[in-house]
């Protein structure tokens, strides 16, 4: 089970405030990117919450400003995924393309199974492309490029192992 406060939240010490005061705080959301989509909406990625929000950037505020949420957290996403592995974990650099597909870097450091005690076998990063269906509330992982190197520097694919295809 992913426990954000022990696995990804970072403590910020000595943050400067007005009047020469400093405080210690927790980087709860860790906003990793903000971009403007083709319709002028803003896409905001929260690394620590494994969530991307699409908000109306034209103003208005309030509850109607949030257009949709894409998240791997239980109950937080407006979209269902085909598989657990399709969900984004620790998202960065989110952009929405002209055809409304969403492209992001999935850092994967909060992916289930990404633990030091397992030798980081569940850890991997990827570029991921999602097609969002706003009508039926599904997110389809339509393309990905997985980084072939694990956290420990080894490759995740042994090209010489039986059953692996090589060019």
């Amino acid at each position: 089970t992913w426990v954000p406060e022990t696995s990804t939240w970072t403590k910020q010490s000595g943050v400067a405030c007005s009047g020469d005061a400093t405080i210690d705080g927790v980087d709860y959301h860790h906003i990793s990117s903000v971009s403007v989509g083709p319709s002028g909406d803003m896409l905001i990625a929260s690394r620590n919450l494994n969530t991307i929000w699409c908000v109306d950037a034209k103003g208005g505020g309030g509850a109607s400003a949030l257009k949709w949420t894409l998240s791997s957290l239980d109950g937080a996403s407006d979209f269902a995924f085909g598989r657990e592995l399709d969900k984004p974990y620790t998202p960065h650099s989110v952009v929405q393309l002209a055809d409304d597909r969403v492209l992001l870097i999935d850092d994967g450091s909060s992916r289930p199974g990404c633990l030091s005690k397992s030798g980081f076998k569940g850890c991997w990063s990827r570029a991921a492309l999602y097609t969002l269906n706003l009508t039926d509330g599904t997110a389809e992982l339509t393309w990905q490029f997985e980084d072939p190197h694990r956290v420990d520097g080894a490759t995740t694919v042994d090209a010489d192992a039986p059953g692996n295809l090589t060019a």
Side-chain angles (χ1 to χ4, degrees):
T1 302
W2 177 62
V3 182
E5 60 272 17
T6 60
S7 61
T8 59
W9 292 356
T10 50
K11 183 177 180 181
Q12 302 293 321
S13 298
V15 177
C17 300
S18 64
D20 295 324
T22 61
I23 61 168
D24 292 342
V26 176
D27 186 6
Y28 179 76
H29 292 95
H30 190 98
I31 301 302
S32 57
S33 71
V34 176
S35 65
V36 178
S39 64
D41 296 330
M42 292 178 62
L43 281 87
I44 304 165
S46 170
R47 180 194 80 175
N48 290 357
L49 297 180
N50 293 326
T51 300
I52 297 110
W53 297 284
C54 177
V55 298
D56 181 356
K58 295 179 179 82
S64 63
L66 180 61
K67 293 195 163 190
W68 52 259
T69 302
L70 182 68
S71 180
S72 59
L73 295 179
D74 290 340
S77 187
D78 292 324
F79 302 94
F81 295 86
R83 305 175 306 159
E84 282 293 312
L85 285 175
D86 293 347
K87 295 179 177 181
Y89 291 93
T90 326
H92 291 273
S93 302
V94 178
V95 295
Q96 191 169 26
L97 306 178
D99 62 4
D100 288 332
R101 291 181 300 166
V102 175
L103 180 64
L104 59 92
I105 299 297
D106 176 348
D107 183 3
S109 61
S110 62
R111 189 180 320 286
C114 182
L115 305 167
S116 60
K117 67 182 177 185
S118 68
F120 298 105
K121 291 185 184 197
C123 302
W124 42 275
S125 295
R126 65 182 170 184
L129 182 65
Y130 293 93
T131 300
L132 305 180
N133 186 320
L134 297 170
T135 303
D136 68 9
T138 59
E140 179 186 1
L141 178 64
T142 51
W143 175 87
Q144 72 174 346
F145 174 79
E146 181 182 333
D147 185 347
H149 296 90
R150 292 193 326 234
V151 171
D152 64 5
T155 61
T156 56
V157 176
D158 180 357
D160 297 323
N164 284 342
L165 300 176
T166 58

